[in-house]
Amino acid sequence: MTVVSPDNRRTRREFPPGFAWGTATAAYQIEGAVTEGGRTPSIWDTFSHTPGKVANGDTGDIALDHYRRFREDIRLMADLGLTSYRFSISWPRVQPTGRGPAAERGLDFYRELVDELLSHGITPVATLYHWDLPQELETPPTGGSAAGGGWPSRDTAYRFADYAGLAAEALGDRVSTWTTLNEPWCSAFLGYGAGVHAPGRTDPADALRAAHHLNLGHGLAVGALRAALPASAQLAVSLNLHVVRPLSERPEDLEAVRRIDAVGNRIWTGPMLKGRYDEDLLQDTAHLVDWDALVHEGDLAEISRPIDLLGLNYYNPTVVSASAPGQALPRDDGHGGGTASPWPGAEDVAFHRANDDLTAMDWPIDPTGLSDCLLAMHREFGLPLLVSENGAAFQDTVAPDGTVHDPERTAYLRGHLDAVADAIAAGADVRGYFLWSLLDNFEWAYGYDKRFGIVHVDYDTLVRTPKSSAHWYAGVIRRGGLD
Ligand code: IFM
């Protein structure tokens, strides 16, 4: 909503009452304590310990030691006035082998975390899967009878639903908003297609199988959550939908948009929200997988179980075109490079920068993509929406007096919150904004090189220092809007 003061000099962007002002994090990126309480390795422990996979050989072994310092971190959140916090549960911490009973010590960590949040008046939002698949579900121990094979294996979807049920039984009395998967596109296509994320496989057919089983895992988990949680629980999924724009209006470039939209976006929203895979997606990828064999009878009904909220993770738009004959394709479409394509069936699409105003990830800054995406999802599905991630990495420096001044991040956040307000003003039902991220953290294949936090972390001492963007965000929350 826009409020113009009588003298017309100031314009205020207000947000609806009850709007969730949050930050988001993920277990492997912050927790550390990777062997504590019986936790076993996830595919990310294995991947980060594989030479050459992560910048500087960085791992999440210690990360920010949030596992031990979570009370301090929640104090910081409370000081900033956050009303909500989105965290992820580490699957190998609460169900170490990915099957069988839960590990109570692992669950206790999350019980304490949530109790601490609640005692500070911060509403917890739990994400079940932010990429840390128990390694045993990818590679079963030698001699064992378990299936393994990771997400390309159908069994993993059922394992995920069991884990979701365990987590909900343990935490359902104190957590009422749940997200099943975070950015399944990254799990399937960066993990099994491009190989730049764990488990580092590069097989386009397996990437598509992983996509279907992530969808199935989501639907089965929604069923398990509904069975374990009170009727008032709010269930969501967080998708990094690609805001795809054509380089030109040439039919070939529009066709490139269609292809990326199919395998980047509609591969999730189709089955989850409409109960179908679009025919063009099936055709684009028919030479890679046998969809009739992959999608069993009843799968689509399972996957499209109703959810209550749609979470959108937005960072930047994507500009695409058809490739010119003989043109070397830019493989680095903002997801860490790699020589294999993360776009099965659309490998020959060329990627271009939307503009040259870049974050430290080389991602172009364009808040209009966020309002466009929110409005498109509102119009197509009519669901209440969350911005479940949005933020930016910049090269922050610590001043001699110990402060960290990050005006670029503040400008980025201001622009994107303004875009959220635009979408709300145009009718989208946006219920909250979760800034990525609370703290600088382990940025996957980039290790600790890229800082997304509004709170600076000194990786030698683990001392946390709120940056100027954190103070700015606290002011926005206090005022309930932007000036
Ligand atoms: O750090 C990641 C997060 O884990 C998933 N979404 C994008 C963020 C920035 O790359």
Side-chain angles (χ1 to χ4, degrees):
M1 183 195 303
T2 304
V3 182
V4 183
S5 64
D7 61 6
N8 246 356
R9 274 181 315 196
R10 290 177 68 218
T11 304
R12 252 185 84 69
R13 311 299 310 261
E14 286 179 359
F15 289 77
F19 189 80
W21 294 102
T23 54
T25 63
Y28 189 69
Q29 294 181 272
I30 64 168
E31 282 180 6
V34 290
T35 55
E36 211 51 49
R39 181 189 181 279
T40 55
S42 73
I43 54 175
W44 265 99
D45 295 87
T46 308
F47 189 75
S48 64
H49 279 270
T50 307
K53 297 297 187 193
V54 173
N56 317 311
D58 290 344
T59 72
D61 288 2
I62 298 172
L64 319 182
D65 199 25
H66 171 77
Y67 183 83
R68 293 189 185 80
R69 297 169 190 240
F70 70 92
R71 290 182 205 283
E72 179 193 342
D73 293 336
I74 293 171
R75 177 80 255 154
L76 276 171
M77 293 183 217
D79 288 347
L80 296 177
L82 298 182
T83 64
S84 199
Y85 173 56
R86 176 173 171 246
F87 64 96
S88 84
I89 298 173
S90 162
W91 185 350
R93 199 181 286 294
V94 307
Q95 195 191 31
T97 59
R99 52 185 85 238
E104 284 305 316
R105 284 170 69 193
L107 287 172
D108 281 345
F109 168 68
Y110 294 105
R111 289 188 182 106
E112 285 172 33
L113 175 85
V114 169
D115 287 348
E116 188 75 8
L117 288 165
L118 292 172
S119 75
H120 285 85
I122 300 172
T123 304
V125 175
T127 298
L128 284 163
Y129 188 72
H130 201 125
W131 310 351
D132 42 2
L133 184 73
Q135 181 64 43
E136 287 202 18
L137 293 184
E138 175 70 25
T139 341
T142 343
S145 57
W151 286 106
S153 159
R154 190 174 170 90
D155 182 61
T156 301
Y158 291 91
R159 302 284 66 77
F160 179 60
D162 285 353
Y163 149 66
L166 293 176
E169 274 158 29
L171 299 169
D173 57 344
R174 34 198 123 181
V175 178
S176 56
T177 306
W178 294 76
T179 292
T180 54
L181 306 173
N182 184 71
E183 302 185 356
W185 183 86
C186 297
S187 301
F189 298 121
L190 298 182
Y192 294 93
V196 295
H197 276 194
R201 285 158 61 180
T202 52
D203 180 333
D206 273 345
L208 290 165
R209 287 187 196 102
H212 178 60
H213 297 140
L214 282 154
N215 278 328
L216 181 60
H218 157 81
L220 293 167
V222 169
L225 293 171
R226 293 270 186 233
L229 296 172
S232 55
Q234 297 280 294
L235 305 189
V237 64
S238 289
L239 302 176
N240 57 323
L241 296 178
H242 301 263
V243 176
V244 201
R245 294 171 175 163
L247 186 65
S248 79
E249 292 303 312
R250 293 186 315 154
E252 314 80 284
D253 293 350
L254 298 178
E255 166 65 5
V257 169
R258 183 198 63 71
R259 280 177 179 263
I260 296 302
D261 180 45
V263 75
N265 300 333
R266 288 183 282 119
I267 195 168
W268 316 110
T269 55
M272 287 182 187
L273 302 174
K274 292 181 174 168
R276 64 158 200 258
Y277 284 109
D278 288 345
E279 200 48 45
D280 62 328
L281 165 70
L282 301 183
Q283 279 173 19
D284 289 349
T285 52
H287 60 293
L288 295 169
V289 280
D290 177 352
W291 284 95
D292 289 338
L294 182 59
V295 182
H296 294 195
E297 202 179 329
D299 281 5
L300 290 164
E302 197 68 65
I303 296 169
S304 57
R305 282 172 183 270
I307 54 174
D308 307 293
L309 297 158
L310 177 60
L312 301 178
N313 294 1
Y314 173 81
Y315 290 87
N316 59 276
T318 302
V319 174
V320 299
S321 71
S323 53
Q327 176 189 354
L329 289 176
R331 279 279 172 256
D332 188 353
D333 48 4
H335 295 284
T339 49
S341 172
W343 301 103
E347 295 87 349
D348 56 353
V349 168
F351 286 80
H352 311 265
R353 279 187 183 149
N355 62 54
D356 290 324
D357 188 11
L358 305 175
T359 69
M361 298 292 282
D362 281 347
W363 294 348
I365 302 172
D366 183 352
T368 63
L370 179 53
S371 37
D372 287 356
C373 186
L374 288 165
L375 279 170
M377 291 303 107
H378 163 70
R379 287 178 186 138
E380 188 162 5
F381 302 111
L383 273 173
L385 303 167
L386 289 178
V387 178
S388 42
E389 283 184 27
N390 175 244
F394 288 102
Q395 268 163 3
D396 304 317
T397 48
V398 184
D401 65 357
T403 58
V404 184
H405 186 45
D406 57 341
E408 305 97 326
R409 184 171 290 101
T410 299
Y412 180 99
L413 297 173
R414 182 194 298 278
H416 286 77
L417 277 172
D418 212 27
V420 176
D422 284 343
I424 294 172
D429 179 5
V430 188
R431 304 270 173 100
Y433 176 86
F434 292 82
L435 193 165
W436 186 272
S437 185
L438 175 69
L439 301 151
D440 290 336
N441 62 49
F442 176 79
E443 178 53 25
W444 309 111
Y446 297 90
Y448 296 98
D449 277 354
K450 306 291 179 192
R451 293 178 176 272
F452 273 90
I454 51 170
V455 175
H456 179 271
V457 177
D458 178 321
Y459 291 123
D460 294 327
T461 60
L462 297 181
V463 165
R464 280 85 158 134
T465 308
K467 304 176 189 176
S468 54
S469 59
H471 300 299
W472 175 83
Y473 190 44
V476 171
I477 299 172
R478 235 182 358 258
R479 292 188 296 274
L482 297 169
D483 283 334

